[in-house]
Structure formats: C-alpha cells, structure tokens
Amino acid sequence: MSDSDGKKTLGLRGGSRPGNVKQSFSHGRTKNVVVETKRKRVVVPKPGAGKGGSGASPATDGSRRPAGITDAEMARRLKALQAAKAREVEEAAQREAEEKARAEERERRRAEQEAKEREQREAEEKARRKAEEEERKRLEVEEAAKRAAAAPAAEPEKAKSAGPAAGRSAAKPAAQAPRKADREREERGRGGKGRDQGRRSGKLTLGQATGEGGRQRSMAAMKRKQERARQKAMGTVEREKVIRDVQLPETIVVSELANRMAERVGDVVKSLMNMGMMVTQNQSIDADTAELIIEEFGHKVVRVSDSDVEDVIKEVEDKEEDLQPRPPVITIMGHVDHGKTSLLDAIRDARVVAGEAGGITQHIGAYQVTTDSGTVLSFLDTPGHAAFTSMRSRGAQVTDIVVLVVAADDSVMPQTIEAINHAKAAGVPMIVAINKIDKPAADPNKVRAELLQHEVIVEAMSGDVQDVEVSAVTGQGLDELLEAIALQAEILELKANPNRAAQGAVIEAQLDVGRGPVATVLVQNGTLHQGDIFVVGEQYGKVRALINDKGERVKEAGPSVPVEVLGLNGTPEAGDVLNVTETEAQAREIAEYREQAAKDKRAAAGAATTLEQLMAKAKEDENVSELPILVKADVQGSAEAIVQAMEKIGNDEVRVRVLHSGVGAITETDIGLAEASGAPVMGFNVRANTSARNTANQKGVEIRYYSVIYDLVDDVKAAASGLLSAEIKENFIGYATIKDVFKVSNVGKVAGCLVTEGVARRSAGVRLLRDNVVIHEGTLKTLKRFKDEVAEVQSGQECGMAFENYEDIRAGDVIEIFERQEVERKLD
C-alpha cells in the first residue's frame, strides 16, 4: 500500500508551494507527506485612496449616504459600529486571558501529576532496594550458620584422605551456592517470574539506561548503619528511655501530643487504634484519652487549663514602701436634669453641658481638676437617664467617692434612689450635693428628710454623710464641696504603686473614623506608657498615643489619671479591665482565649438543651410579634444602654429584637442585614456613609437618626405598639322582646318585637336570649317598621326583625343589641 493510495493530495487553491516532508516512526517505518504552504496575500492600496481623510466623513458625505438617512441616524450607526468594534476587542482580550489561565492550570496540573508519579517511583525504588538489602542480609546469615554447622562435623582425617580431588569437588558446590543465590536475587529484583517480568515498563530514562539512576543512601545514613552494626557487635545496651513531663490541656491534637512526648506520630496513632479510636494525626482527643496514652508510653502527665494563659496578669500585692499617694476618683451621680454636668462645669470652669444634645448627658466623661490649694481630683460624670443604668454602675465600681447631686426644687427621684443603691453596692463613701439652691422653690430640708427613707442620714440630721448646699449657676458652696471631697479623700488615705505594670478600667469606648478604636481608660494602678503592649477584654494592642481630658498628648499616665488610649485592634466593651503584658504574643493569646470563651458561652446560652425546650420555645414564639431593629451608636456605653432599653419594651404579645448593635458609622453591611430582616436602622449620634445611604435608597431601608435617647425609646415603643392587636370593646345599646313570630314568604320567620330599652340598629350585632341563656349570636337580616325597612327603632316602638341564617325563634325570647368598637392599645 502506498502512502497516498492513489488519492488526490489535499491542497490550497491559488498561491501555494508544495513540499515533501519525511516522517519517521518506530520499528523503522517512514512516511512521505506532501505539505503545501499558502502565500500571504498582499493588498496594494490604490493611488489616492487615503486622501479622503481631510475631507468630509462618510457620516457627513451626502453623496455616499443611503437615501433617507439623516445625519443623526448616520452618527448613531457609526457610534454603534465603534461600540461593537470595542466590544469585539474586549471580548478577544478576555478570551485570550481565559486561554492563558487555562493553559497555566493545565501546566500546573501536569506538573503536579509528574511530581506525584516521580514520588511514587522513588517510593517503589526505595521499597525494592530495602527488600533486596533485607534478603541479602538473610542469605548472609543463613550462609554463615551453615558454615558454622559444617565446620565441627568435618574430620581432619577425612580431609587428609580425601586428597586434592575431593577438595575440588567439595569446593564446587560451595562456589555454586552464592552464584545461585545471586541469580535468585536478580530474578526477584526483576519480578521473580520469568524473563517477561523483567522487561522495562514506562519511559526509558538516561539513568535507567546507564544504570546510575535512583536515589542513593546518604553518608549520614551509612554512618548510622555502621554505628548500629558496631554497637550490635560490641553488645552495647540501648540508651535508657527519657521520662518527660507532658503538659496536657483540655483538648490536644494527636501530632502535638506525640511532639510533646518526643514519640513517633505513627506509634501514637497505633496506640489509639488499639484502644478502638480510629483517628488521624490532625484530629483532637480529650484530656482523659491523652492521659492514658501518655501513661502507656511511660511519661508523666501535667494537667493544664486554657485559662492558665491569664496567669501572666495575676494580681500582685504591692509592698507598703512602694505605695505613693494618688488623687481620688469622684463620680457625679443623680437623677436626670438635676445639674450634675453643670456642677462639674462650674468646678472645672468649662461648658460641657452646652455641647450635649437635649441638654442631658448621654456619655460617661472623665476629667481632672486642680483646686486652688493644689489638690488634684479626678471626676467621672455619669448620665442620669433611666437607660444608662449600667453606666452609673460602672462609674460606682471604679470610684473612690460618690457625689450624689439632688435638685433642691425636685427632691429625690427614681434615678437618685438607683444611684444610692449603686454607691451602697460598691461600698464607697457618699457626699450629698443639694444643687439649685438659688431657685425660689428650693427646699433643702425636704431633700434631707426624703433621703432618710433610703437610709442616707446627713450630718445635719446627726448622720455621717456630708451634705453641701451648692448652686452651679451662682457658684455658691463650690469651695465647701471641694473641701468636703478633700477631707473624705484624706480619711481614705488613697495610695497606689506607680512603678509597676499598669492596670485600669475602660470607662468608654468608641470607633473613631480617623483614629480607629479609642478607649477612655482610668488608670487604677501602675503607670501606662506610650509603647506599652496591653490586653483589654477580648482586644489587645500597643499604646500608639495617650490623650488627656484637655486633648493634649502625654507620654504616660499614672494612677487615677483618665486618658484616651489609641492603638487597639478592635473596640473593647465598656467596663473591661486593661492589663499591660510583657510581649505581644502573650496579649494576643489572652485575647484569643477570652474571645473563644465568650463565643462558647454565647453558643451555650443560645442553644436549647433538649428537644422539648426547643419545641416549647417555638410554640411560645408563634403568638409573639417581633419588631426587629439594628442599633449603631457613637460609643459602646450608649449602644449598651439602648439595647437594655429595647429589651424592656414589650409584653407577652410584642417584643423588640435587636438584630445587631455596634459602634461607628452605619455601613453597607448594616443596610444589607436590615434589608434581609426587614428592619429599620437606628443611628444614635452617628450617620450613614455615602455607599450605605445609596444602598438604603435603592433597597428601601429606613434609617433614623437620633441624638436624644428619649426620642429613640419613644419611637420604638410607638412602633411596637402598632403590632399589638386592637382591643375589641362591646357597647350594649338596647333590648327587645319578641311578642309573636310570623312566617313571611321569601323571608322566613320574622319576629314581631317591642324595643324595651335603648335603640335597635340594623348594623348592630344581636344575641338571642332564652331564659337568660345565649342561644344565638349574629346579625340582623331585616329590621322593619310597619312595611318599611328602617335603620334604627327607638325604645317603646314595635318592629319586625329577622336573623341572618337562623330561624329558631319563639315568643318571649329577648334580643340583646350591641355594637363592637376597636380600641388601639399602647405599650406602657
């Protein structure tokens, strides 16, 4: 058979050059192939073809434009043509990029496959060599044993009498035995079952062809082998096993357990499988199982807990000689609008109250004041609104002295009583400041008398609580108040050690757009320096900057000094404790442990323990309407107060559910969550960014901004009240007695009635009473006066009534007429 078989060769029409190419194949086969090359077509432009560039374009050339096409239409077509060309270029570039990515993926897969095949070949080669080595050793041992057994049996006399011929015949089998063993070993290396097994399979490499391929044993491996052989020959005893103290947490990964015991991972996994646990080296086991494994390997167990990471920040008792006097921390507490911030402004000669929305304090503030005598005082200003209970509690926990501000014209109020309870719970002394003494309606004695009901006995009534009459407007009594505070601080003998790692409490925390997470910290012990590494709650960081209450940057902050700390990795919770650590690794480890512990606690609290509890909760939620909302506030304390206020709104039918609360501006993520849940977004002293506003407008999400907490709580309460079902009230408007019953065609039974009380209306509901028992409730089909259909019949008049879908009526029955009225309900 020829290469072409008489068929016409493939060719290209016009402008082609034929050529012959000879192809070579395996086993000496060749083939001639005719290849034709097509000439490239060259287009020569006609003279004058490019001269039209300076003239009119085709879009404006009226002589070459099709008939009936305007300039605008021609321009639109050209624009569409240009867009199509641009789209084609873009699609071509995209296809080229996709082809390139696919080619890279194919190359990567091919490389991975080749690497896997190479590793498999190396493993097979290593296993083969190991088997050959073991077989050779076994044959050498057997040969040595045979020679040792044959030596005593050979008699010297037989050796002498055998002569040279016998010696040659005995040496012949001995010489043949090693050659036979070599042949067997060689056949086993080739496959062991005939010559066909020894054929090379796969690709023939240069190393296989020269016999130098494959991995060779390293010099270190050869030295180790020689050392083992030498020790075995000398009869050296293996070294004694090292007993280790293995630290065992609550859970541990198998590979980590083997690493701590300095044992092979495979041995540990084998021991676990013998115990019936099919695990891998990357799985975790509990502490009890790990303890059994450790004891099985002969090591000692040292139980540790995950909470041991916090041992680095344990409390250390300071020596008496290290303690130095520190300024007192005074918290201003009391009812809303009793003049707390105004009094503090008068003391520090500032105007903080002028910047507060609605004239009320909604944040907790920290300030330092130096009196005329040189005494330094640290003040904390707490809000008085009912929603800020946790803020007041926080202020009482970190304070030394509580100044209870009570308005002389308003006396003791609910938040005043709450502040007294917080001070008593914290166990701190109290000073009563009776404010607004300059007002005409001021009655300080009434304040003192009402304080007696809450076990606060002032000095004027032979008690031990100092009371001072002050006025934030006129400045009356301010000096006496500062003297009382200084006297109380002197009695307390407040001291701290400034020369140690700092410890403090977070008064407030917020997310600043330009500065990141910012925490207002009151240093309680030690000195906080710029550059210190610290952990606070579930967050950690490095002090990047310290800013005092006047907005000035400082290098350090000692005991009782309030500062703003910059450099956190996240916003901490208000009330968290700040501790300085030695290294960043310690701070990160403690923060991660606390975060995991808080997550586990939330998961345990949110999960139902049994199926019955889960079903009971679902049954309860069937009849409860929920109002979902999202809350974003400027500081952590405000967000906490708003969430607590929302939880108190509702009853058995309606409740408010806070889907998410956070600190900082309203973001696009918040809008997405609100849109998915059908919830409004409540912003307290924050605003939405541009992308969030645009997304909210597109998706129809409502964003409400508030600067006073009263307005936010009232609006949510009104919205929740709208979910309450209306209350139905019945108003009885009349009674009628049935005198006789008539049968009327096309109508049925009609009762002839006398209205005895009130009025009978056609639109009202009716009940049929027989012996004062309700036997039917419904509506009237007809109400007639003589032959006319009427809307109502007054008392003392006769009428005809017919019930809708009911005809069991008798003379003597009483008809009760009533109207239903829907009354809107509101939450208290």
Side-chain angles (χ1 to χ4, degrees):
M1 181 183 289
S2 65
D3 293 336
S4 60
D5 291 337
K7 295 180 181 178
K8 187 178 180 181
T9 58
L10 296 175
L12 298 172
R13 288 181 298 174
S16 62
R17 291 195 298 262
N20 291 333
V21 176
K22 184 176 181 181
Q23 291 183 331
S24 299
F25 299 95
S26 60
H27 299 83
R29 292 184 295 119
T30 60
K31 184 179 181 180
N32 289 327
V33 180
V34 178
V35 178
E36 294 181 356
T37 306
K38 184 178 180 181
R39 290 194 183 94
K40 185 176 181 182
R41 185 179 178 186
V42 180
V43 180
V44 180
K46 295 180 180 180
K51 296 180 181 179
S54 59
S57 63
T60 58
D61 191 359
S63 61
R64 299 177 63 184
R65 183 188 307 147
I69 296 181
T70 62
D71 293 345
E73 178 67 17
M74 200 68 186
R76 186 184 64 79
R77 291 188 180 184
L78 283 176
K79 189 175 181 181
L81 183 61
Q82 291 172 0
K85 289 182 178 179
R87 197 159 51 246
E88 287 178 359
V89 172
E90 185 178 346
E91 290 176 355
Q94 186 175 359
R95 283 196 300 273
E96 185 177 353
E98 290 176 355
E99 285 293 333
K100 186 176 179 182
R102 282 197 291 269
E104 291 176 355
E105 180 68 16
R106 285 196 297 271
E107 287 295 329
R108 185 184 64 80
R109 289 182 180 175
R110 188 183 299 112
E112 290 180 356
Q113 184 67 22
E114 289 177 357
K116 190 181 295 183
E117 291 176 357
R118 186 167 57 253
E119 290 176 0
Q120 187 174 359
R121 286 197 302 271
E122 289 175 357
E124 291 175 356
E125 182 70 17
K126 187 176 180 182
R128 184 182 65 78
R129 289 184 178 177
K130 186 175 179 181
E132 288 179 359
E133 184 69 20
E134 290 177 355
E135 184 65 21
R136 187 180 62 77
K137 287 181 180 180
R138 187 181 64 80
L139 291 174
E140 288 178 357
V141 172
E142 290 179 358
E143 189 66 25
K146 287 179 181 179
R147 284 199 301 267
E155 295 289 339
E157 292 81 12
K158 291 183 179 179
K160 291 177 182 179
S161 62
R168 285 192 300 272
S169 63
K172 186 177 181 181
Q176 289 177 352
R179 289 198 294 271
K180 184 178 181 182
D182 292 340
R183 286 198 302 273
E184 291 177 356
R185 187 163 58 253
E186 187 178 351
E187 287 197 5
R188 275 195 300 273
R190 291 198 301 262
K193 291 185 180 179
R195 296 182 179 273
D196 293 339
Q197 294 283 344
R199 263 188 199 173
R200 295 187 181 95
S201 59
K203 296 179 180 179
L204 177 63
T205 62
L206 184 61
Q208 292 175 353
T210 57
E212 297 178 358
R215 294 177 59 184
Q216 303 295 329
R217 300 192 69 173
S218 64
M219 290 296 296
M222 296 297 294
K223 286 180 180 179
R224 287 196 298 269
K225 178 184 175 184
Q226 292 172 1
E227 181 66 20
R228 285 196 298 270
R230 187 179 64 81
Q231 290 181 356
K232 186 176 181 181
M234 295 175 62
T236 306
V237 182
E238 294 184 3
R239 61 181 179 178
E240 188 177 351
K241 185 182 177 90
V242 179
I243 306 300
R244 304 178 186 275
D245 292 335
V246 181
Q247 291 190 348
L248 182 60
E250 296 171 0
T251 59
I252 188 170
V253 181
V254 174
S255 58
E256 177 63 20
L257 177 62
N259 188 25
R260 294 187 183 186
M261 293 191 299
E263 302 286 350
R264 292 188 180 91
V265 179
D267 296 341
V268 177
V269 173
K270 185 178 179 181
S271 299
L272 287 167
M273 287 184 176
N274 291 335
M275 295 171 57
M277 295 183 64
M278 300 297 147
V279 296
T280 63
Q281 62 176 357
N282 297 323
Q283 288 182 344
S284 299
I285 57 176
D286 60 293
D288 295 335
T289 306
E291 184 174 355
L292 295 175
I293 296 297
I294 294 170
E295 291 175 351
E296 183 178 342
F297 280 90
H299 299 287
K300 295 181 180 178
V301 180
V302 180
R303 286 284 189 123
V304 296
S305 175
D306 292 341
S307 59
D308 292 344
V309 297
E310 298 203 25
D311 291 345
V312 295
I313 57 172
K314 279 188 174 179
E315 290 286 339
V316 179
E317 291 293 333
D318 295 312
K319 297 180 182 179
E320 187 65 30
E321 57 269 19
D322 296 334
L323 299 178
Q324 298 179 14
R326 66 172 177 85
V329 180
I330 303 103
T331 301
I332 309 293
M333 303 178 75
H335 192 72
V336 65
D337 203 26
H338 275 201
K340 299 181 295 299
T341 307
S342 302
L343 183 61
L344 187 57
D345 285 347
I347 293 174
R348 59 193 290 262
D349 194 18
R351 297 289 294 168
V352 175
V353 71
E356 293 286 357
I360 64 170
T361 300
Q362 300 179 112
H363 306 88
I364 190 167
Y367 316 98
Q368 266 201 331
V369 176
T370 304
T371 62
D372 296 336
S373 60
T375 306
V376 179
L377 305 175
S378 297
F379 282 95
L380 297 180
D381 185 18
T382 60
H385 186 265
F388 296 102
T389 301
S390 24
M391 280 195 188
R392 286 189 292 277
S393 174
R394 221 165 30 242
Q397 292 296 330
V398 298
T399 191
D400 301 315
I401 302 169
V402 169
V403 175
L404 181 66
V405 179
V406 186
D409 60 341
D410 203 12
S411 193
V412 177
M413 298 300 284
Q415 270 63 61
T416 310
I417 302 169
E418 185 188 300
I420 293 171
N421 295 332
H422 284 318
K424 289 181 178 179
V428 293
M430 188 188 313
I431 298 174
V432 178
I434 304 176
N435 195 17
K436 301 184 181 181
I437 199 68
D438 56 313
K439 288 198 171 184
D443 188 358
N445 290 325
K446 180 184 177 184
V447 174
R448 297 186 179 100
E450 290 191 3
L451 288 174
L452 291 173
Q453 301 177 11
H454 306 286
E455 300 177 1
V456 178
I457 307 172
V458 298
E459 289 181 345
M461 294 189 171
S462 303
D464 56 353
V465 177
Q466 300 183 73
D467 65 310
V468 184
E469 297 180 4
V470 296
S471 172
V473 177
T474 63
Q476 176 187 346
L478 294 182
D479 294 336
E480 289 83 354
L481 178 62
L482 293 177
E483 286 178 8
I485 293 172
L487 176 62
Q488 187 66 57
E490 188 177 348
I491 295 172
L492 293 174
E493 295 183 353
L494 302 170
K495 293 183 179 181
N497 180 13
N499 302 317
R500 56 165 289 180
Q503 179 182 355
V506 177
I507 303 300
E508 194 59 271
Q510 60 180 335
L511 185 63
D512 196 291
V513 177
R515 301 183 296 172
V518 180
T520 303
V521 177
L522 177 68
V523 181
Q524 296 172 307
N525 211 344
T527 303
L528 185 63
H529 302 86
Q530 186 173 342
D532 282 348
I533 297 169
F534 62 90
V535 59
V536 50
E538 301 175 21
Q539 312 297 334
Y540 69 96
K542 184 177 181 180
V543 179
R544 197 170 71 239
L546 296 172
I547 302 173
N548 62 10
D549 59 315
K550 299 179 181 64
E552 303 167 348
R553 284 206 172 197
V554 294
K555 295 292 184 182
E556 60 182 28
S560 302
V561 177
V563 287
E564 284 187 344
V565 179
L566 280 70
L568 293 104
N569 72 323
T571 308
E573 296 286 335
D576 287 342
V577 178
L578 179 142
N579 295 97
V580 173
T581 60
E582 295 180 359
T583 62
E584 186 177 354
Q586 290 178 348
R588 187 188 305 111
E589 191 176 5
I590 295 170
E592 288 175 354
Y593 162 71
R594 290 176 176 175
E595 185 179 4
Q596 185 62 39
K599 190 183 296 182
D600 295 342
K601 186 177 180 181
R602 287 192 294 267
T609 54
T610 62
L611 182 62
E612 289 77 7
Q613 292 180 358
L614 191 63
M615 294 177 66
K617 187 176 184 303
K619 191 173 182 180
E620 290 175 3
D621 293 344
E622 285 181 358
N623 301 323
V624 178
S625 299
E626 283 188 343
L627 175 64
I629 62 171
L630 266 79
V631 176
K632 293 301 286 287
D634 54 345
V635 296
Q636 189 70 42
S638 298
E640 180 185 15
I642 293 170
V643 170
Q644 291 177 355
M646 296 300 102
E647 290 174 352
K648 295 177 182 177
I649 298 175
N651 53 19
D652 295 339
E653 299 179 35
V654 176
R655 66 184 172 202
V656 178
R657 183 160 66 99
V658 180
L659 298 174
H660 171 68
S661 65
V663 178
I666 299 170
T667 62
E668 197 170 352
T669 306
D670 300 326
I671 301 300
L673 177 58
E675 192 263 339
S677 308
V681 181
M682 306 293 182
F684 185 75
N685 285 331
V686 295
R687 293 294 182 269
N689 55 34
T690 306
S691 60
R693 285 198 302 271
N694 295 337
T695 307
N697 292 333
Q698 291 173 3
K699 297 183 177 181
V701 176
E702 182 182 11
I703 303 177
R704 291 197 175 190
Y705 300 122
Y706 298 92
S707 56
V708 181
I709 196 168
Y710 292 117
D711 301 335
L712 191 152
V713 174
D714 292 344
D715 281 3
V716 174
K717 192 178 291 186
S721 299
L723 297 177
L724 289 172
S725 57
E727 184 179 359
I728 306 299
K729 296 183 70 175
E730 288 187 357
N731 297 324
F732 297 97
I733 59 175
Y735 288 95
T737 304
I738 299 177
K739 297 297 185 181
D740 203 352
V741 178
F742 306 96
K743 287 186 179 181
V744 180
S745 59
N746 297 330
V747 177
K749 289 186 177 180
V750 176
C753 306
L754 174 66
V755 180
T756 57
E757 183 180 343
V759 62
R761 289 198 179 96
R762 172 73 178 81
S763 59
V766 291
R767 291 190 184 95
L768 183 64
L769 308 181
R770 188 172 294 163
D771 298 329
N772 292 324
V773 177
V774 178
I775 60 173
H776 176 68
E777 180 176 339
T779 57
L780 290 177
K781 182 166 58 175
T782 180
L783 176 64
K784 289 193 175 184
R785 173 85 173 141
F786 299 107
K787 293 183 180 181
D788 300 326
E789 188 77 26
V790 294
E792 63 178 34
V793 178
Q794 297 294 329
S795 175
Q797 296 180 351
E798 293 182 345
C799 61
M801 295 184 186
F803 291 90
E804 192 77 44
N805 300 325
Y806 190 79
E807 294 188 352
D808 183 16
I809 51 178
R810 302 176 187 174
D813 291 346
V814 177
I815 299 174
E816 183 182 69
I817 304 106
F818 63 91
E819 286 183 341
R820 287 190 175 93
Q821 181 182 3
E822 291 187 357
V823 179
E824 291 187 1
R825 298 163 61 195
K826 292 185 178 180
L827 292 171
D828 297 332

